[in-house]
Structures are given as C-alpha cells and as structure tokens.
Amino acid sequence: ESGNDRILSLLKKEVTRSQIVETIKIADDEGLMLRLMFMMGNPTETEEEIEDTRQLAIKANAITVQMHYCTPYPGTDYFDPSKDNINSLSDYSSYNSIYRNMSNVSDERLNELRNSFYHSYYFSFKYLKLFVRQRLIFMIAQAKDELPFILKSVWFLIKKPKSQKQRLAVEFTD
C-alpha cells in the first residue's frame, strides 16, 4: 500500500520497502503478471513519501498499477466517528475520491500527484513494451486452443472448389 517504510509501519503492515522490492523481483523473475495496488493520502504522509511509493511502482514491471486514496473505514485506527459520519459502507464505494484527507498534502495536490503518476506510468515506453510482451505471451498460450480453428480457416482459404455452388456448399458445411 506504500513504498515508504515510515508509512508502512504507521499502517501496521509488518513489511518493509526492501521486502516489497524483493518480492516484486521474485514474482517478476517467475514470470508472474503483476498487478499492484497502492494508497496515497495516508495519515501524516508527505509529498516526499508519496514520491517513494511512485518510484517503487514505476520500477516494478506490473501490467497494472492502481493508486487509490486512503479511506478510513469503521474499525480501523483512523476512523473517527466525529469526522466520519456515514450511513452505510456504500458511502465508501470509491477509492478514486478523497473521502477524508489525513495526509500533509492538499486535496488538490493529491489529485495532481495521482494524475501525474498514471500519466507517467501508462504512457511510458517501458509500459508499452511490457503490455505488448504480456499480450504476446497470452496469445501464444492461447494458440494451442486456437490452432485447430486457424488451420481450418487457412485450409478453407487455400482450397478451390470447382464452382461457386460448391464453394457455398463448403462454406455451410464447414
């Protein structure tokens, strides 16, 4: 949820940035398709600490990275009944909106940082290469299932029936 050790400790994640980096490396080396989710706007978080998370996300070879806003849910240490007056949990349905900003960064700046992250990540040449590589791997994996269809299609295209009537008969029976 963060790429900064202080924030990870504050959130009681019992994991360090270096452990996250090592886990991402192992998963990538094993060929796993990574999908990472992070939070920003964590309690007392600074812009520099958000940048640590951004840098971790950018260095990872993840097919998707999501950056959500921290939301204080009932039962968590950061939920405050005097500030978080809700009627139902459906009031928390979007991680894409700032419900209550507990960070040291303004709402406007959080939005700018999030938009900047998405732009720099998904419009990078690195991501384009990763996306194409993942799609090729998927297509090759699926080829065994598609091969009979491909062969029938090629055969249909190269065989030449004697007449248009025979061609139509072949099209409807194949």
Side-chain angles (χ1 to χ4, degrees), residues 44-99:
T44 70
E45 189 171 41
T46 65
E47 192 167 329
E48 292 77 21
E49 291 167 326
I50 292 171
E51 179 62 19
D52 289 343
T53 300
R54 188 181 86 77
Q55 287 298 318
L56 175 68
I58 285 175
K59 288 179 184 175
N61 286 324
I63 194 67
T64 58
V65 176
Q66 295 176 355
M67 189 72 71
H68 297 289
Y69 297 113
C70 181
T71 303
Y73 279 96
T76 64
D77 292 346
Y78 300 104
F79 182 78
D80 182 346
S82 66
K83 295 178 184 174
D84 302 316
N85 186 12
I86 62 166
N87 295 322
S88 72
L89 288 180
S90 66
D91 291 345
Y92 289 106
S93 63
S94 176
Y95 298 115
N96 296 317
S97 299
I98 298 172
Y99 179 73

Side-chain angles (χ1 to χ4, degrees), residues 7-151:
I7 298 298
L8 289 166
S9 177
L10 188 71
L11 297 175
K12 300 177 182 172
K13 292 299 168 185
E14 299 182 7
V15 66
T16 65
R17 177 189 171 99
S18 61
Q19 290 172 315
I20 293 169
V21 169
E22 181 62 22
T23 302
I24 288 171
K25 182 184 178 321
I26 291 168
D28 188 44
D29 289 347
E30 291 297 321
L32 296 176
M33 189 183 313
L34 299 175
R35 298 178 189 277
L36 304 176
M37 295 174 66
F38 295 98
M39 291 189 319
M40 63 187 319
N42 293 297
T44 70
E45 189 171 41
T46 65
E47 192 167 329
E48 292 77 21
E49 291 167 326
I50 292 171
E51 179 62 19
D52 289 343
T53 300
R54 188 181 86 77
Q55 287 298 318
L56 175 68
I58 285 175
K59 288 179 184 175
N61 286 324
I63 194 67
T64 58
V65 176
Q66 295 176 355
M67 189 72 71
H68 297 289
Y69 297 113
C70 181
T71 303
Y73 279 96
T76 64
D77 292 346
Y78 300 104
F79 182 78
D80 182 346
S82 66
K83 295 178 184 174
D84 302 316
N85 186 12
I86 62 166
N87 295 322
S88 72
L89 288 180
S90 66
D91 291 345
Y92 289 106
S93 63
S94 176
Y95 298 115
N96 296 317
S97 299
I98 298 172
Y99 179 73
R100 180 166 59 96
N101 185 355
M102 298 174 285
S103 74
N104 292 332
V105 181
S106 70
D107 290 5
E108 183 180 336
R109 186 65 182 144
L110 278 177
N111 282 320
E112 289 172 3
L113 291 170
R114 184 171 179 259
N115 291 339
S116 173
F117 165 75
Y118 279 129
H119 184 268
S120 64
Y121 190 79
Y122 286 107
F123 291 102
S124 69
F125 184 68
K126 175 186 175 183
Y127 181 75
L128 176 64
K129 288 189 318 187
L130 178 67
F131 180 80
V132 169
R133 179 179 149 248
Q134 290 292 345
R135 292 306 303 158
L136 287 173
I137 290 170
F138 176 77
M139 287 171 25
I140 290 168
Q142 296 300 313
K144 67 176 177 59
D145 297 331
E146 300 295 325
L147 194 56
F149 173 73
I150 293 168
L151 291 175

